[in-house]
Coordinates of all heavy atoms in Angstrom, one line a residue:
M1 N 0.8 -1.2 0.0 CA 0.0 0.0 0.0 C 0.9 1.3 0.0 O 0.5 2.2 -0.7 CB -0.9 0.0 1.2 CG -1.6 1.3 1.5 SD -2.9 1.3 2.7 CE -2.3 0.4 4.0
F2 N 2.0 1.3 0.7 CA 2.8 2.5 0.8 C 3.9 2.5 -0.2 O 4.7 3.5 -0.2 CB 3.3 2.6 2.3 CG 2.2 2.7 3.3 CD1 1.8 1.6 4.0 CD2 1.7 3.9 3.5 CE1 0.8 1.7 4.9 CE2 0.6 4.1 4.4 CZ 0.2 3.0 5.1
L3 N 4.0 1.5 -1.0 CA 5.1 1.4 -2.0 C 5.1 2.6 -2.9 O 6.1 3.1 -3.3 CB 5.0 0.1 -2.8 CG 6.1 -0.2 -3.8 CD1 7.4 -0.2 -3.1 CD2 5.8 -1.5 -4.5
K4 N 3.9 3.1 -3.2 CA 3.8 4.2 -4.2 C 4.5 5.5 -3.6 O 5.1 6.2 -4.4 CB 2.3 4.5 -4.5 CG 2.2 5.7 -5.5 CD 1.1 5.6 -6.4 CE 1.0 6.8 -7.2 NZ 0.9 6.6 -8.6
I5 N 4.4 5.7 -2.3 CA 5.1 6.9 -1.9 C 6.6 6.8 -2.0 O 7.3 7.7 -2.2 CB 4.7 7.4 -0.4 CG1 5.0 6.3 0.6 CG2 3.3 7.8 -0.4 CD1 4.8 6.8 2.0
R6 N 7.1 5.6 -1.8 CA 8.6 5.3 -2.0 C 8.9 5.6 -3.5 O 9.9 6.2 -3.8 CB 8.9 3.9 -1.6 CG 10.4 3.6 -1.9 CD 10.8 2.2 -1.5 NE 10.6 2.0 -0.1 CZ 10.5 0.8 0.5 NH1 10.6 -0.3 -0.2 NH2 10.4 0.7 1.8
Q7 N 8.1 5.1 -4.4 CA 8.3 5.3 -5.8 C 8.3 6.7 -6.2 O 9.1 7.2 -6.9 CB 7.3 4.5 -6.7 CG 7.4 3.0 -6.6 CD 6.2 2.3 -7.2 OE1 5.2 2.9 -7.4 NE2 6.4 1.0 -7.5
E8 N 7.3 7.4 -5.6 CA 7.2 8.9 -5.9 C 8.4 9.6 -5.4 O 8.9 10.5 -6.0 CB 5.9 9.4 -5.3 CG 4.7 9.0 -6.0 CD 4.6 9.7 -7.4 OE1 4.7 10.9 -7.5 OE2 4.3 8.9 -8.4
R9 N 8.8 9.3 -4.2 CA 10.0 9.9 -3.5 C 11.2 9.7 -4.4 O 12.0 10.7 -4.7 CB 10.2 9.4 -2.1 CG 11.5 10.0 -1.5 CD 11.7 9.4 -0.1 NE 11.9 8.0 0.0 CZ 13.0 7.3 -0.3 NH1 14.1 8.0 -0.7 NH2 13.1 6.0 -0.2
K10 N 11.5 8.5 -4.8 CA 12.6 8.2 -5.7 C 12.5 8.9 -7.0 O 13.5 9.3 -7.6 CB 12.8 6.7 -5.8 CG 13.3 6.1 -4.5 CD 13.6 4.6 -4.6 CE 14.1 4.1 -3.3 NZ 14.6 2.7 -3.4
K11 N 11.3 8.9 -7.6 CA 11.1 9.5 -8.9 C 11.5 11.0 -8.8 O 12.1 11.5 -9.8 CB 9.7 9.4 -9.3 CG 9.3 10.0 -10.7 CD 7.9 9.7 -11.1 CE 7.0 10.7 -10.4 NZ 5.6 10.6 -10.8
N12 N 11.2 11.6 -7.7 CA 11.6 13.0 -7.5 C 13.0 13.2 -7.1 O 13.5 14.4 -7.0 CB 10.7 13.7 -6.5 CG 9.3 13.9 -7.0 OD1 9.1 14.5 -8.1 ND2 8.3 13.4 -6.3
G13 N 13.8 12.2 -6.8 CA 15.2 12.3 -6.4 C 15.3 12.7 -5.0 O 16.4 13.3 -4.6
W14 N 14.3 12.5 -4.1 CA 14.3 13.0 -2.8 C 14.8 11.9 -1.8 O 14.6 10.7 -2.1 CB 12.9 13.4 -2.3 CG 12.3 14.5 -3.1 CD1 13.0 15.5 -3.8 CD2 11.0 14.9 -3.2 NE1 12.1 16.4 -4.3 CE2 10.9 16.0 -4.0 CE3 9.8 14.3 -2.7 CZ2 9.7 16.6 -4.3 CZ3 8.6 14.9 -3.0 CH2 8.5 16.1 -3.8
T15 N 15.5 12.3 -0.8 CA 15.9 11.3 0.3 C 14.8 11.2 1.3 O 13.9 12.0 1.4 CB 17.2 11.8 1.0 OG1 16.9 13.0 1.7 CG2 18.3 12.1 0.0
L16 N 14.9 10.1 2.1 CA 14.0 9.9 3.2 C 14.0 11.1 4.1 O 13.0 11.6 4.6 CB 14.4 8.7 4.0 CG 14.1 7.3 3.4 CD1 14.9 6.2 4.2 CD2 12.7 7.0 3.5
D17 N 15.2 11.6 4.4 CA 15.4 12.8 5.3 C 14.7 14.0 4.8 O 14.1 14.7 5.5 CB 16.9 13.0 5.5 CG 17.1 14.0 6.6 OD1 16.6 13.9 7.7 OD2 17.9 15.0 6.3
F18 N 14.8 14.2 3.5 CA 14.2 15.4 2.9 C 12.7 15.4 3.1 O 12.1 16.4 3.5 CB 14.5 15.5 1.4 CG 13.8 16.6 0.7 CD1 14.2 17.9 0.7 CD2 12.6 16.3 -0.1 CE1 13.5 18.9 0.1 CE2 11.9 17.3 -0.7 CZ 12.4 18.7 -0.6
V19 N 12.0 14.3 2.8 CA 10.6 14.2 2.9 C 10.2 14.3 4.4 O 9.3 15.0 4.7 CB 10.0 12.9 2.3 CG1 8.5 12.7 2.5 CG2 10.3 12.8 0.8
A20 N 11.0 13.6 5.2 CA 10.7 13.7 6.7 C 10.7 15.1 7.2 O 9.8 15.5 7.9 CB 11.7 12.8 7.4
R21 N 11.7 15.9 6.8 CA 11.8 17.3 7.2 C 10.6 18.1 6.6 O 10.1 19.0 7.3 CB 13.1 17.9 6.7 CG 14.3 17.5 7.6 CD 15.6 18.2 7.3 NE 16.2 17.6 6.1 CZ 16.4 18.2 5.0 NH1 16.2 19.5 4.9 NH2 17.0 17.6 3.9
Q22 N 10.2 17.8 5.4 CA 9.1 18.5 4.8 C 7.8 18.3 5.6 O 7.0 19.2 5.7 CB 8.9 18.1 3.4 CG 10.0 18.4 2.4 CD 10.3 19.9 2.4 OE1 9.5 20.7 2.1 NE2 11.6 20.2 2.7
I23 N 7.6 17.1 6.2 CA 6.3 16.9 6.9 C 6.5 17.0 8.4 O 5.5 16.8 9.1 CB 5.7 15.5 6.5 CG1 6.7 14.3 6.8 CG2 5.4 15.5 5.0 CD1 6.1 13.0 6.5
G24 N 7.7 17.2 8.8 CA 7.9 17.5 10.3 C 8.0 16.3 11.2 O 7.6 16.4 12.3
I25 N 8.5 15.2 10.6 CA 8.7 14.0 11.5 C 10.2 13.5 11.3 O 10.9 14.0 10.4 CB 7.7 12.9 11.2 CG1 7.9 12.4 9.7 CG2 6.3 13.3 11.4 CD1 7.0 11.2 9.4
S26 N 10.6 12.5 12.1 CA 11.9 12.0 12.0 C 12.1 11.1 10.7 O 11.1 10.6 10.2 CB 12.3 11.2 13.2 OG 11.6 10.0 13.2
K27 N 13.3 11.0 10.3 CA 13.6 10.1 9.2 C 13.1 8.7 9.5 O 12.5 8.0 8.6 CB 15.1 10.1 8.9 CG 15.5 9.2 7.8 CD 17.1 9.3 7.6 CE 17.6 8.3 6.7 NZ 19.1 8.4 6.6
A28 N 13.3 8.2 10.7 CA 12.9 6.8 11.1 C 11.4 6.7 11.0 O 10.9 5.7 10.5 CB 13.4 6.5 12.5
A29 N 10.7 7.7 11.5 CA 9.2 7.7 11.5 C 8.7 7.6 10.0 O 7.8 6.9 9.7 CB 8.6 8.9 12.2
Y30 N 9.3 8.5 9.2 CA 8.9 8.5 7.8 C 9.2 7.1 7.1 O 8.4 6.6 6.4 CB 9.6 9.6 7.0 CG 9.2 9.5 5.5 CD1 7.9 9.8 5.1 CD2 10.0 9.1 4.6 CE1 7.5 9.7 3.8 CE2 9.7 9.0 3.2 CZ 8.4 9.3 2.9 OH 8.0 9.1 1.6
R31 N 10.4 6.6 7.4 CA 10.8 5.3 6.8 C 9.7 4.2 7.2 O 9.3 3.4 6.4 CB 12.1 4.8 7.3 CG 12.6 3.5 6.7 CD 13.9 2.9 7.3 NE 15.0 3.9 7.2 CZ 15.6 4.5 8.3 NH1 15.2 4.2 9.5 NH2 16.5 5.3 8.1
N32 N 9.2 4.3 8.5 CA 8.2 3.3 8.9 C 6.9 3.5 8.2 O 6.2 2.5 7.9 CB 8.0 3.5 10.4 CG 9.1 2.9 11.2 OD1 9.9 2.1 10.8 ND2 9.3 3.4 12.5
I33 N 6.6 4.7 7.8 CA 5.4 5.0 7.0 C 5.6 4.4 5.6 O 4.7 3.7 5.1 CB 5.0 6.5 6.9 CG1 4.6 7.0 8.3 CG2 4.0 6.7 5.8 CD1 4.4 8.5 8.3
E34 N 6.7 4.6 5.0 CA 7.0 4.1 3.7 C 7.0 2.6 3.6 O 6.6 2.0 2.6 CB 8.4 4.6 3.2 CG 8.3 5.5 2.1 CD 9.7 5.8 1.4 OE1 10.6 5.0 1.5 OE2 9.8 6.9 0.8
T35 N 7.5 1.9 4.6 CA 7.5 0.5 4.7 C 6.2 -0.2 5.1 O 6.1 -1.4 5.2 CB 8.7 0.0 5.5 OG1 8.5 0.4 6.9 CG2 10.0 0.4 5.0
G36 N 5.3 0.7 5.6 CA 4.0 0.1 6.0 C 4.0 -0.3 7.5 O 3.0 -0.8 8.0
Q37 N 5.1 0.0 8.2 CA 5.2 -0.4 9.6 C 4.4 0.6 10.5 O 4.1 0.3 11.7 CB 6.6 -0.5 10.1 CG 7.4 -1.6 9.4 CD 8.8 -1.6 9.8 OE1 9.3 -0.9 10.7 NE2 9.6 -2.3 9.1
R38 N 4.1 1.8 10.0 CA 3.4 2.8 10.7 C 2.4 3.4 9.8 O 2.7 3.7 8.6 CB 4.4 3.8 11.2 CG 3.7 5.0 11.9 CD 4.8 6.0 12.3 NE 4.1 7.2 12.9 CZ 4.8 8.3 13.1 NH1 6.1 8.4 12.9 NH2 4.1 9.4 13.6
K39 N 1.2 3.7 10.2 CA 0.2 4.4 9.4 C 0.3 5.9 9.7 O 0.4 6.2 10.9 CB -1.2 3.9 9.7 CG -1.4 2.4 9.2 CD -2.8 2.0 9.5 CE -3.0 0.5 9.0 NZ -4.3 0.1 9.3
P40 N 0.2 6.7 8.7 CA 0.3 8.2 9.0 C -1.0 8.7 9.7 O -2.1 8.2 9.3 CB 0.4 8.8 7.6 CG -0.2 7.8 6.7 CD 0.1 6.4 7.3
S41 N -0.9 9.6 10.6 CA -2.1 10.3 11.1 C -2.7 11.1 10.0 O -2.1 11.3 9.0 CB -1.6 11.2 12.3 OG -0.9 12.3 11.8
Y42 N -3.9 11.6 10.3 CA -4.5 12.5 9.3 C -3.7 13.7 9.0 O -3.5 14.0 7.8 CB -5.9 12.9 9.8 CG -6.6 13.9 8.9 CD1 -7.1 13.5 7.7 CD2 -6.6 15.2 9.2 CE1 -7.7 14.3 6.8 CE2 -7.2 16.1 8.3 CZ -7.7 15.7 7.2 OH -8.3 16.6 6.3
A43 N -3.1 14.3 10.0 CA -2.3 15.5 9.8 C -1.1 15.2 8.9 O -0.7 16.0 8.0 CB -1.8 16.1 11.1
I44 N -0.4 14.1 9.2 CA 0.7 13.7 8.4 C 0.3 13.3 7.0 O 1.0 13.7 6.0 CB 1.5 12.5 9.0 CG1 2.1 12.9 10.4 CG2 2.6 12.0 8.1 CD1 3.1 14.1 10.3
L45 N -0.8 12.7 6.8 CA -1.3 12.3 5.5 C -1.5 13.6 4.7 O -1.2 13.7 3.5 CB -2.6 11.5 5.6 CG -3.3 11.3 4.2 CD1 -2.4 10.3 3.4 CD2 -4.7 10.7 4.5
V46 N -2.1 14.6 5.3 CA -2.4 15.9 4.6 C -1.1 16.5 4.1 O -0.9 17.0 3.0 CB -3.2 16.9 5.5 CG1 -3.2 18.3 4.9 CG2 -4.6 16.3 5.7
K47 N -0.1 16.4 5.0 CA 1.3 17.0 4.6 C 1.9 16.2 3.5 O 2.5 16.7 2.6 CB 2.2 17.0 5.9 CG 1.8 18.0 6.9 CD 2.7 18.0 8.1 CE 2.2 19.0 9.1 NZ 3.1 19.0 10.3
L48 N 1.8 14.8 3.6 CA 2.3 14.0 2.5 C 1.6 14.3 1.2 O 2.3 14.4 0.1 CB 2.1 12.5 2.8 CG 3.1 11.9 3.8 CD1 2.6 10.5 4.2 CD2 4.5 11.8 3.2
L49 N 0.3 14.5 1.2 CA -0.4 14.8 -0.1 C 0.2 16.1 -0.6 O 0.3 16.3 -1.8 CB -1.9 14.9 0.2 CG -2.6 13.6 0.5 CD1 -4.0 13.8 0.9 CD2 -2.5 12.6 -0.7
G50 N 0.4 17.1 0.3 CA 1.0 18.4 -0.2 C 2.4 18.3 -0.8 O 2.7 18.8 -1.8
V51 N 3.2 17.5 -0.1 CA 4.6 17.4 -0.5 C 4.7 16.7 -1.9 O 5.4 17.1 -2.8 CB 5.4 16.6 0.5 CG1 6.8 16.1 -0.1 CG2 5.7 17.4 1.8
F52 N 3.8 15.7 -2.1 CA 3.8 14.9 -3.3 C 2.9 15.5 -4.4 O 2.7 15.0 -5.4 CB 3.5 13.4 -3.1 CG 4.7 12.7 -2.4 CD1 4.6 12.4 -1.1 CD2 5.8 12.4 -3.1 CE1 5.6 11.8 -0.4 CE2 6.9 11.7 -2.5 CZ 6.8 11.4 -1.1
N53 N 2.2 16.6 -4.0 CA 1.3 17.3 -4.9 C 0.1 16.4 -5.4 O -0.2 16.3 -6.6 CB 2.0 17.9 -6.1 CG 1.3 19.0 -6.7 OD1 0.5 19.7 -6.1 ND2 1.5 19.2 -8.0
Y54 N -0.6 15.8 -4.4 CA -1.8 15.0 -4.7 C -2.9 15.6 -3.9 O -2.7 16.1 -2.9 CB -1.6 13.5 -4.3 CG -0.7 12.7 -5.2 CD1 0.7 12.6 -5.1 CD2 -1.3 12.0 -6.3 CE1 1.4 11.9 -6.0 CE2 -0.5 11.3 -7.2 CZ 0.8 11.2 -7.0 OH 1.6 10.5 -7.9
N55 N -4.1 15.4 -4.5 CA -5.3 15.9 -3.8 C -6.1 14.8 -3.1 O -6.8 15.0 -2.1 CB -6.3 16.6 -4.8 CG -5.7 17.8 -5.4 OD1 -5.1 18.6 -4.6 ND2 -5.9 18.0 -6.7
D56 N -6.0 13.6 -3.6 CA -6.7 12.4 -3.1 C -5.8 11.4 -2.6 O -4.8 11.0 -3.3 CB -7.6 11.9 -4.2 CG -8.5 10.8 -3.8 OD1 -8.3 10.1 -2.8 OD2 -9.6 10.7 -4.5
P57 N -5.9 10.9 -1.3 CA -5.0 9.9 -0.8 C -5.0 8.6 -1.7 O -4.0 7.9 -1.7 CB -5.5 9.6 0.6 CG -6.9 10.2 0.7 CD -7.0 11.2 -0.4
R58 N -6.1 8.3 -2.4 CA -6.1 7.1 -3.2 C -5.1 7.2 -4.4 O -4.6 6.2 -4.9 CB -7.5 6.9 -3.8 CG -8.5 6.5 -2.7 CD -9.9 6.4 -3.2 NE -10.2 7.8 -3.5 CZ -11.5 8.2 -3.7 NH1 -12.5 7.3 -3.7 NH2 -11.8 9.5 -4.0
E59 N -4.8 8.4 -4.8 CA -3.8 8.7 -5.9 C -2.4 8.3 -5.3 O -1.6 7.8 -6.1 CB -3.8 10.1 -6.3 CG -5.1 10.5 -7.0 CD -5.1 12.0 -7.3 OE1 -4.7 12.8 -6.5 OE2 -5.6 12.3 -8.4
L60 N -2.2 8.6 -4.1 CA -0.8 8.4 -3.5 C -0.7 7.0 -2.9 O 0.4 6.4 -3.0 CB -0.5 9.5 -2.5 CG 0.9 9.5 -1.9 CD1 1.9 9.7 -3.0 CD2 1.0 10.7 -0.9
F61 N -1.7 6.5 -2.3 CA -1.7 5.2 -1.6 C -2.4 4.1 -2.3 O -2.4 2.9 -1.8 CB -2.3 5.3 -0.2 CG -1.4 6.2 0.7 CD1 -1.8 7.5 1.0 CD2 -0.3 5.7 1.3 CE1 -1.1 8.3 1.8 CE2 0.5 6.5 2.1 CZ 0.1 7.8 2.4
G62 N -3.1 4.3 -3.4 CA -3.9 3.3 -4.0 C -5.3 3.3 -3.5 O -5.7 4.1 -2.7
A63 N -6.1 2.3 -3.9 CA -7.5 2.3 -3.6 C -7.7 2.0 -2.1 O -8.6 2.6 -1.5 CB -8.2 1.1 -4.3
A64 N -6.8 1.3 -1.4 CA -6.9 1.0 0.0 C -6.1 2.1 0.7 O -4.9 2.1 0.7 CB -6.4 -0.4 0.3
T65 N -6.8 3.0 1.3 CA -6.1 4.1 2.1 C -6.0 3.7 3.6 O -6.7 2.8 4.0 CB -6.8 5.4 2.0 OG1 -8.2 5.2 2.5 CG2 -6.9 5.9 0.6
P66 N -5.0 4.2 4.3 CA -4.9 3.9 5.7 C -6.1 4.2 6.5 O -6.9 5.1 6.2 CB -3.7 4.9 6.1 CG -3.0 5.2 4.9 CD -4.1 5.2 3.8
D67 N -6.4 3.3 7.4 CA -7.7 3.4 8.2 C -7.8 4.7 9.0 O -8.9 5.2 9.2 CB -7.7 2.2 9.2 CG -7.9 0.9 8.6 OD1 -8.3 0.9 7.4 OD2 -7.5 -0.1 9.2
N68 N -6.7 5.3 9.4 CA -6.8 6.5 10.2 C -6.6 7.8 9.4 O -6.2 8.8 9.9 CB -5.7 6.4 11.3 CG -4.3 6.3 10.8 OD1 -4.1 5.9 9.7 ND2 -3.3 6.6 11.6
T69 N -7.1 7.7 8.2 CA -7.0 8.9 7.3 C -8.3 9.7 7.3 O -8.5 10.6 6.5 CB -6.5 8.6 5.9 OG1 -7.5 7.7 5.3 CG2 -5.1 8.0 5.9
K70 N -9.3 9.3 8.1 CA -10.5 10.0 8.1 C -10.4 11.2 9.0 O -9.8 11.2 10.0 CB -11.6 9.1 8.7 CG -11.9 7.9 7.8 CD -13.2 7.3 8.0 CE -13.5 6.1 7.2 NZ -13.8 6.3 5.9
E71 N -11.0 12.3 8.5 CA -11.0 13.5 9.3 C -11.9 13.3 10.5 O -12.7 12.4 10.6 CB -11.6 14.6 8.4 CG -10.8 15.0 7.2 CD -11.4 16.2 6.5 OE1 -11.5 17.2 7.1 OE2 -11.7 16.0 5.3
P72 N -11.8 14.2 11.5 CA -12.6 14.1 12.7 C -14.1 14.0 12.5 O -14.8 13.4 13.2 CB -12.2 15.3 13.5 CG -10.8 15.6 13.1 CD -10.8 15.3 11.6
D73 N -14.6 14.6 11.4 CA -16.0 14.6 11.0 C -16.4 13.3 10.3 O -17.6 13.1 9.9 CB -16.4 15.8 10.3 CG -15.8 15.9 8.9 OD1 -15.1 15.0 8.5 OD2 -16.0 16.9 8.2
G74 N -15.4 12.4 10.1 CA -15.7 11.1 9.4 C -15.5 11.1 7.9 O -15.6 10.1 7.3
N75 N -15.3 12.3 7.3 CA -15.1 12.3 5.8 C -13.7 11.8 5.5 O -12.8 11.9 6.3 CB -15.2 13.7 5.3 CG -16.6 14.2 5.3 OD1 -17.6 13.5 5.1 ND2 -16.8 15.5 5.5
Q76 N -13.6 11.1 4.4 CA -12.3 10.7 3.9 C -11.4 11.8 3.5 O -11.9 12.8 2.9 CB -12.5 9.7 2.7 CG -11.2 9.0 2.3 CD -10.8 8.0 3.3 OE1 -11.6 7.4 4.0 NE2 -9.5 7.8 3.4
A77 N -10.2 11.8 3.9 CA -9.2 12.9 3.5 C -9.2 13.1 2.0 O -9.2 12.1 1.3 CB -7.8 12.5 4.0
G78 N -9.3 14.3 1.7 CA -9.2 14.7 0.2 C -10.5 14.6 -0.5 O -10.6 15.0 -1.7
T79 N -11.6 14.2 0.2 CA -12.9 14.1 -0.5 C -13.9 15.1 0.1 O -15.0 15.1 -0.3 CB -13.4 12.7 -0.5 OG1 -13.6 12.3 0.9 CG2 -12.5 11.7 -1.2
K80 N -13.5 15.8 1.0 CA -14.5 16.7 1.7 C -14.9 17.9 0.8 O -14.1 18.5 0.1 CB -13.8 17.3 2.9 CG -14.7 18.2 3.8 CD -14.0 18.6 5.0 CE -14.9 19.4 5.9 NZ -14.2 19.8 7.1
T81 N -16.2 18.1 0.7 CA -16.7 19.2 -0.1 C -17.0 20.3 0.8 O -17.5 20.2 1.9 CB -17.9 18.7 -0.9 OG1 -18.9 18.3 0.0 CG2 -17.6 17.6 -1.9
I82 N -16.9 21.5 0.2 CA -17.2 22.7 1.0 C -18.4 23.4 0.5 O -18.7 23.4 -0.7 CB -16.0 23.7 0.9 CG1 -14.8 23.0 1.5 CG2 -16.3 25.0 1.6 CD1 -13.5 23.8 1.3

């Protein structure tokens, strides 16, 4: 599920450390997200979408998005209408 963010990171020529700094977490924490050992919080997911320039988490993570990517109001991240 998280393989796509690794592919995107490498496609952009970015290091683990670079992405981790962009989203405000440690390199080890980001590595755990990339390898699927840790699911990103909603706040981190939003930052990841911004760094990788995606609007919908399904574009970055595939059809199966992390369980904890729902906003506090229950809407799926990236699909909330205003």
